[in-house]
Amino acid sequence: MAAPRRCWFVFGLSAEEAAGDAGPGRQRLEPSSDGIRRVWPAWSYAVLETGSGLEVHSAGRRQPLPEDCVAALPSETHAVLLREAAVEAWPRAAALRGELRGQPAWSRALPPGSRPALPLLPDGFVAPRPPFYTALPGALPLRALALGHEHVVGLGAAGEVYGWGGGRHGQLGHGSLESEQQPRLVEALGGVPMRAVAAGGWHSACVSDGGDLYVWGWNESGQLGLPSRAVAEEQAEDEDMGAGLPGPAGPPAGAGSGCGELRFTAHGCAHTRWRAVHLGLG
């Protein structure tokens, strides 16, 4: 039996929508002869890694980046590019053209032979918006790092999780809505080694060595995979509008649907086996 073909899609805000025109919606990225290996998305464009190097995809057009570019962190103002000898931040317009001429907006030289995994650098981390570089405490060895909109989640050498930055939606996992200027251990996950971390706009996630997924932070739109008040209200409105129409039988949707007596607020944490862990404001 032939192996399934892997496809990449992009969706969300497009250049046409940003200009006020109707965008094409979800688009399939047609692979080149070298295929597509990785995708780094921004709101209105994406950077692709193919067998031939990096290229920028925007409004249906592709533009190759210089051959020494090996990784990217794009945003709507700048694109941070990992090159052979340095990490550089270039204005978005220059990245879209693939023309990296003159001086970058910011750069930092790398130790010889270093090939960091962005956004983590040997002595700190980089973000695709100013300020581009932030140093980390020397006593904090991290093996992975993820950037949210206002916060950072770090994975320690022993599998411990750290959260810092903005905390107004409980995305740091410290049991409060307070911000933290320095990395602080997520104590609720103590004793559970993690192997990966991720950060959304105002929520966070990590995967344990045992394969369990933990999520916490803002759940206004159900982004934690938990019942959400906003989603429940929207479903209730849809049901009211469709009252009297034939439909499939089954229990009504809403907060707590499919979860027995469990109820979650917009801030909280759980993982895929539904054992609740209080990391936000429960």
Side-chain angles (χ1 to χ4, degrees):
M1 182 177 178
R5 184 179 178 185
R6 181 176 299 173
C7 301
W8 289 89
F9 293 87
V10 292
F11 46 90
L13 179 65
S14 67
E16 293 84 356
E17 290 171 309
D21 299 325
R26 186 182 70 170
Q27 300 178 67
R28 176 173 173 172
L29 296 178
E30 294 297 335
S32 63
S33 58
D34 297 316
I36 299 174
R37 300 178 179 179
R38 285 189 291 177
V39 177
W40 296 277
W43 283 0
S44 60
Y45 71 103
V47 180
L48 317 180
E49 179 191 10
T50 71
S52 301
L54 301 192
E55 56 186 45
V56 179
H57 177 98
S58 176
R61 297 187 298 271
R62 287 181 173 181
Q63 184 67 44
L65 290 170
E67 293 182 357
D68 65 339
C69 295
V70 296
L73 284 176
S75 76
E76 291 305 296
T77 61
H78 295 82
V80 170
L81 300 174
L82 175 62
R83 310 186 76 170
E84 292 182 354
V87 181
E88 300 174 348
W90 290 87
R92 172 183 177 273
L96 291 179
R97 295 192 303 268
E99 299 176 355
L100 307 185
R101 300 175 181 175
Q103 296 296 319
W106 169 88
S107 67
R108 187 175 185 86
L110 295 173
S114 174
R115 185 59 63 88
L118 294 183
L120 196 60
L121 296 179
D123 50 0
F125 66 93
V126 65
R129 299 180 300 272
F132 298 107
Y133 175 77
T134 301
L136 284 171
L140 184 68
L142 296 180
R143 55 190 172 104
L145 184 140
L147 300 176
H149 185 68
E150 299 176 338
H151 74 295
V152 182
V153 181
L155 180 63
E160 70 275 27
V161 177
Y162 298 86
W164 69 100
R168 57 180 173 155
H169 294 296
Q171 64 264 47
L172 301 185
H174 302 318
S176 73
L177 305 183
E178 299 297 323
S179 299
E180 295 285 345
Q181 297 302 314
Q182 295 295 323
R184 178 181 168 188
L185 185 68
V186 179
E187 297 179 358
L189 294 174
V192 184
M194 299 294 163
R195 67 185 184 194
V197 293
W202 294 282
H203 63 289
S204 308
C206 60
V207 178
S208 71
D209 285 344
D212 288 336
L213 171 64
Y214 293 78
V215 292
W216 62 95
W218 204 28
N219 192 48
E220 180 65 21
S221 300
Q223 55 265 58
L224 301 186
L226 304 176
S228 163
R229 178 180 301 175
V231 174
E233 292 175 351
E234 183 177 345
Q235 291 174 338
E237 291 177 1
D238 292 342
E239 290 176 358
D240 290 341
M241 294 178 62
L245 297 178
S257 174
C259 302
E261 296 299 316
L262 289 179
R263 296 292 185 272
F264 297 89
T265 63
H267 305 279
C269 175
H271 62 79
T272 52
R273 293 179 184 173
W274 297 102
R275 290 197 300 265
V277 181
H278 180 82
L279 292 183
L281 178 63

